[in-house]
Amino acid sequence: MTNGHHSDHPAASEAAAQHSGDTYQRFLTDFFGVIAYGELSAFERMSSDARFSPTLHDRATLGRLAVQEYAHFELITARLSAMGVDPEEAMRPFQASVDAFHDRTRPADWYESLMKSFVTDAISDDFYQAVASRLDAETNSLFQGLKAAEQSGEILLGRLREALADDPRLASRLALWGRRLVGEALTQAQRVLMERAFLGGLLDDQGPDAGSVDAKVKSLTAQLTRNHSKRMSLLGLTA
């Protein structure tokens, strides 16, 4: 996770050399902008959902996870500011799309809200990590640090397992909800990739031809789907 490790990596060195101009900086602005707004939205969602927790312990746990999301938001916006970019300007192009996603996926109860956080946060993490792994060493190191500090996945997994053990009838409903969420999340990811020419940072020196873009999208979507299926298996649910 150190900068030294990544700077010695041929792909990272190539990315740094190749993406040093204005186009790459615009790409990073978009990249950080969508992540920052996603973190802010996650903070708001978890803070709101905490009110409906069945126990005070659950309420405190979700509150702590919400604080973690806000800390990530502050780290990303600080990076934008260091780049000389207004964080609000960077986030604004993604506001309507992210808000619409959350409007389409309103949970019916607390258990569905837990599943939504578990599924969408994990897919988002996978998505951003896949992109960051192809970027410059400093950017990649930032995201490896965020990933290392991430605790929500294991905590939410544990709480969902408890809920399913306490009430096995939840399984079919949460499995169905999980399938809907992953479909919406993958559609959202593809929309971000295409609408903002997001794959500019993933393409090597082949140029942004349609075939390369289409192949990258399909490959990334398949990877996200596989990871989601593994997480559902950990819950004993069918993806």
Side-chain angles (χ1 to χ4, degrees), residues 97 162 208 223 227:
S97 179
E162 289 177 12
Q223 178 185 335
N227 291 350

Side-chain angles (χ1 to χ4, degrees), residues 14 83 88 111 149 166 183 187 190 194:
E14 182 181 345
M83 291 167 55
E88 289 189 25
Y111 298 105
D166 292 341
T187 298
Q190 290 171 356
M194 304 308 291

Side-chain angles (χ1 to χ4, degrees), residues 117-221:
S117 292
F118 180 64
V119 170
T120 60
D121 290 359
I123 289 176
S124 296
D125 285 348
D126 287 347
F127 176 54
Y128 299 136
Q129 287 290 324
V131 177
S133 68
R134 302 294 298 275
L135 305 182
D136 63 272
E138 185 179 2
T139 299
N140 193 25
S141 181
L142 171 64
F143 282 93
Q144 295 302 328
L146 291 179
K147 186 71 172 177
E150 185 68 55
Q151 299 174 347
S152 61
E154 288 300 317
I155 292 172
L156 293 171
L157 173 64
R159 188 61 185 89
L160 283 166
R161 278 174 161 170
E162 289 177 12
L164 288 164
D166 292 341
D167 185 1
R169 294 172 300 177
L170 283 171
S172 60
R173 179 160 67 90
L174 291 185
L176 183 63
W177 178 234
R179 287 194 288 273
R180 179 181 169 190
L181 288 169
V182 72
E184 291 281 2
L186 291 175
T187 298
Q188 177 75 5
Q190 290 171 356
R191 182 176 294 117
V192 169
L193 285 168
M194 304 308 291
E195 284 184 358
R196 301 296 296 183
F198 217 58
L199 282 180
L202 286 176
L203 296 172
D204 298 323
D205 55 359
Q206 302 169 347
D209 60 278
S212 295
V213 170
D214 187 57
K216 296 286 186 180
V217 171
K218 287 182 178 178
S219 175
L220 182 53
T221 299

Side-chain angles (χ1 to χ4, degrees), residues 21-93:
D22 291 341
T23 299
Y24 186 58
Q25 292 306 304
R26 287 194 297 271
F27 165 78
L28 283 184
T29 297
D30 274 354
F31 187 51
F32 289 131
V34 68
I35 294 172
Y37 192 69
E39 296 287 0
L40 182 60
S41 297
F43 161 72
E44 293 170 340
R45 187 178 74 247
M46 283 187 173
S47 299
S48 176
D49 290 348
R51 297 175 300 164
F52 304 105
S53 301
T55 69
L56 286 175
H57 176 74
D58 286 324
R59 189 172 182 176
T61 298
L62 276 190
R64 186 167 68 252
L65 295 181
V67 169
Q68 185 181 82
E69 298 287 0
Y70 194 81
H72 289 175
F73 164 75
E74 289 190 312
L75 281 171
I76 298 298
T77 53
R79 178 65 182 274
L80 282 165
S81 296
M83 291 167 55
V85 176
D86 181 345
E88 289 189 25
E89 291 296 323
M91 289 188 287
R92 191 167 292 121

Side-chain angles (χ1 to χ4, degrees), residues 92-108:
R92 191 167 292 121
F94 305 100
Q95 185 174 358
S97 179
V98 173
D99 288 352
F101 167 77
H102 288 302
D103 287 342
R104 292 193 305 271
T105 56
R106 289 187 183 277

